Amino acid sequence: MKKTIAVIVGTRPEAIKLAPVIRALGFSDHLQPITISTSQHGEMVEQIFENFGITADVDLQVMRPRQKLWDLTAILSTELGAYFSDHPVDAVLVQGDTTSALIGGLSAFYHKIPVGHVEAGLRSHDRYSPFPEELNRTLLTRIAQWHFAPTPYAADLLRSENIDNATIYITGNTVVDALHWMSRHLRHSEIRPGILNGQRKLVLVTCHRRENIGLPMRSVALAIKHLADSHPEAHFLFPMHPNPGVRELIQPILSKQNGVTLCEPLNYEEFLSALHQSYFVISDSGGVQEEATALGKPVLVLRRETERPEGVEAGTLRLVGTDVQEILRAGHELLVNPESHGAMSNGSGVFGDGKAAQKIQKILEQNLSTANRILPFKKPTGELVLME
Ligand code: UD1
Ligand code: UDP
């Protein structure tokens, strides 16, 4: 009988980064994925699943407009707890650092189901930035039995937190698998009509982080406005996150601005197409930093720190924070100085080779078939014992 792996998907980035894993597990002779969509981001996740030909097996419908973090946490805990009580799966996979991921891992732990953490070992070392993600992923490290680190650096961080080396696997980031899959399988459709201006240099903008909502995001909008005013040769395309808190800050400043197009979230295919066509990117997104690094697109990162220093070292990411003047200076530099732009435009494989999902599938097959839910457990003495 195949072992069942519940894969928890809450938000847009989890759907993108877990889609290749769900597909790989689906091809296994030994494992059976059960895709649980919490619908923390309902529509955006559905769109991505459609792109990848995935149908959720379970939909928990937890999203509510203007939902508070603690309410989201509570409803996820109730729904996932009940699901695992009724469906004793063999393992649970979670990805990254969202509330769906944390509560997915915690609910599995309450049912003594082993947890695999995809994209393990990312740290900013600032518990309030990104918020609440830094704490979520740190807690998931304590919960998980298998840590799928995207890079050697992430694996080192896990070891520095005394995680047993035998449970850490360097797989690459599954976002690179998603990128490759998309380029191979889809229609390379044009972006919906009316939002690109082929004559101008395209600057792709995204901004959604909770800790940037308020004055920082207002500064970002003002900086884009000034850049658009002073650079008529550029076109700023800003697909807005559906969070109403984001839109209330962005729209009053940018909705009537020449050279700026605000739009609904692009589907993944459209977004990648825009990224390919862009001259550079301004973003506080995690996934976009990885994709842009893989494709060699410069990113001005709207944060003071990043848990993806590999991209800074590779030269594609530059941390600019949210100060208006700093964004203006960095944006102007990229637009007027081809050398500065060229220096940030070298694609890099630091985030993976596109085979992460396959590696995760093989590791789970090995662990679940041999251990058969008997998990290695180290007593404080360091002596290895087997526990049921
Ligand atoms: C969430 C994740 C964050 C991830 C991001 C990716 C948490 C706490 N945060 O942030 O780690 O980087 O997704 O995009 O898990 N909303 C809608 N429609 C939607 C999505 C959200 O109306 O499709 C509203 C929600 O109802 C809520 C607000 O936006 O009021 C924030 O949504 P939430 O999922 O809590 O956090 P995000 O900022 O989207
Ligand atoms: N993305 C998308 N459409 C958009 C904006 C982003 O498909 O309009 C994709 C992008 O390619 C990346 C992911 O969404 O893979 C990033 O999601 P987000 O920025 O919401 O979350 P984060 O990565 O910061 O957690």
Side-chain angles (χ1 to χ4, degrees):
M1 242 215 344
K2 288 188 179 185
K3 302 281 181 185
T4 49
I5 317 272
V7 185
I8 312 286
V9 180
T11 64
R12 168 167 69 190
E14 287 161 277
I16 290 168
K17 291 174 172 179
L18 285 172
V21 180
I22 294 167
R23 288 188 60 85
L25 293 177
F27 288 117
S28 167
D29 293 332
H30 308 287
L31 306 174
Q32 169 73 45
I34 299 170
T35 303
I36 302 184
S37 169
T38 69
S39 278
Q40 185 179 334
H41 289 177
E43 248 178 64
M44 293 199 291
V45 166
E46 256 175 51
Q47 248 180 15
I48 291 153
F49 279 172
E50 213 175 282
N51 278 171
F52 283 89
I54 292 169
T55 310
D57 298 294
V58 180
D59 188 343
L60 301 179
Q61 297 286 344
V62 303
M63 206 268 276
R64 305 284 180 276
R66 295 184 187 267
Q67 194 165 28
K68 302 288 181 221
L69 265 183
W70 41 94
D71 292 326
L72 175 63
T73 302
I75 189 172
L76 280 165
S77 184
T78 303
E79 293 293 329
L80 285 163
Y83 181 83
F84 292 135
S85 291
D86 296 343
H87 304 85
V89 294
D90 293 298
V92 168
L93 268 191
V94 296
Q95 194 281 337
D97 47 26
T98 68
T99 301
S100 286
L102 173 63
I103 304 304
L106 192 59
S107 305
F109 169 73
Y110 289 157
H111 291 81
K112 302 202 170 120
I113 303 170
V115 174
H117 186 200
V118 178
E119 201 182 67
L122 270 61
R123 296 288 185 271
S124 66
H125 296 118
D126 176 347
R127 60 163 48 205
Y128 293 115
S129 183
F131 176 86
E133 291 84 3
E134 176 71 1
L135 192 66
N136 287 355
R137 57 198 176 205
T138 308
L139 295 174
L140 272 169
T141 293
R142 307 327 302 182
I143 292 171
Q145 247 119 319
W146 305 297
H147 308 268
F148 302 115
T151 64
Y153 176 70
D156 280 347
L157 283 178
L158 291 169
R159 285 189 278 266
S160 76
E161 293 176 11
N162 293 326
I163 297 302
D164 181 357
N165 193 37
T167 64
I168 301 171
Y169 304 89
I170 301 171
T171 58
N173 197 309
T174 54
V175 79
V176 182
D177 304 33
L179 252 179
H180 287 191
W181 193 90
M182 217 38 148
S183 350
R184 279 198 310 273
H185 287 85
L186 285 174
R187 309 174 301 274
H188 300 286
S189 72
E190 289 303 313
I191 301 179
R192 64 194 79 161
I195 60 176
L196 274 193
N197 180 335
Q199 308 302 308
R200 301 198 197 172
K201 284 179 176 162
L202 177 65
V203 182
L204 187 57
V205 185
T206 78
C207 191
H208 73 83
R209 298 234 79 86
R210 214 168 269 261
E211 66 277 7
N212 276 343
I213 293 178
L215 286 180
M217 206 170 282
R218 197 177 128 75
S219 295
V220 171
L222 287 172
I224 307 284
K225 178 179 165 52
H226 292 313
L227 274 174
D229 276 335
S230 51
H231 290 280
E233 79 282 15
H235 174 220
F236 295 81
L237 175 60
F238 194 155
M240 286 180 297
H241 191 283
N243 186 346
V246 170
R247 293 175 176 216
E248 283 158 11
L249 286 156
I250 301 299
Q251 283 169 324
I253 299 171
L254 291 176
S255 62
K256 296 202 173 74
Q257 175 63 40
N258 275 339
V260 175
T261 303
L262 300 181
C263 66
E264 289 302 312
L266 300 175
N267 70 43
Y268 190 44
E269 189 183 9
E270 287 178 315
F271 190 82
L272 289 185
S273 173
L275 189 55
H276 272 287
Q277 294 175 62
S278 68
Y279 194 61
F280 70 91
V281 180
I282 300 178
S283 179
D284 64 3
S285 160
V288 173
Q289 289 177 57
E290 293 151 353
E291 290 160 348
T293 298
L295 296 176
K297 296 292 178 180
V299 187
L300 302 180
V301 181
L302 300 166
R303 295 178 49 188
R304 281 272 152 238
E305 79 305 304
T306 178
E307 55 292 277
R308 292 157 171 97
E310 299 91 340
V312 177
E313 263 172 45
T316 41
L317 309 183
R318 176 171 166 197
L319 300 178
V320 295
T322 53
D323 175 70
V324 180
Q325 292 307 325
E326 205 163 328
I327 300 169
L328 271 178
R329 264 196 302 276
H332 175 76
E333 175 71 14
L334 282 177
L335 284 165
V336 301
N337 188 341
E339 273 178 27
S340 302
H341 181 267
M344 289 179 73
S345 300
N346 300 309
S348 161
V350 277
F351 290 120
D353 60 3
K355 298 196 172 90
Q358 233 178 314
K359 288 176 202 160
I360 291 168
Q361 175 214 323
K362 293 271 175 281
I363 294 160
L364 287 174
E365 279 178 353
Q366 278 162 12
N367 277 279
L368 285 165
S369 59
T370 53
N372 199 16
R373 294 197 70 185
I374 300 179
L375 307 163
F377 176 74
K378 262 193 186 144
K379 281 206 288 193
T381 58
E383 186 191 335
L384 186 71
V385 294
L386 291 178
M387 266 195 48
E388 190 81 52

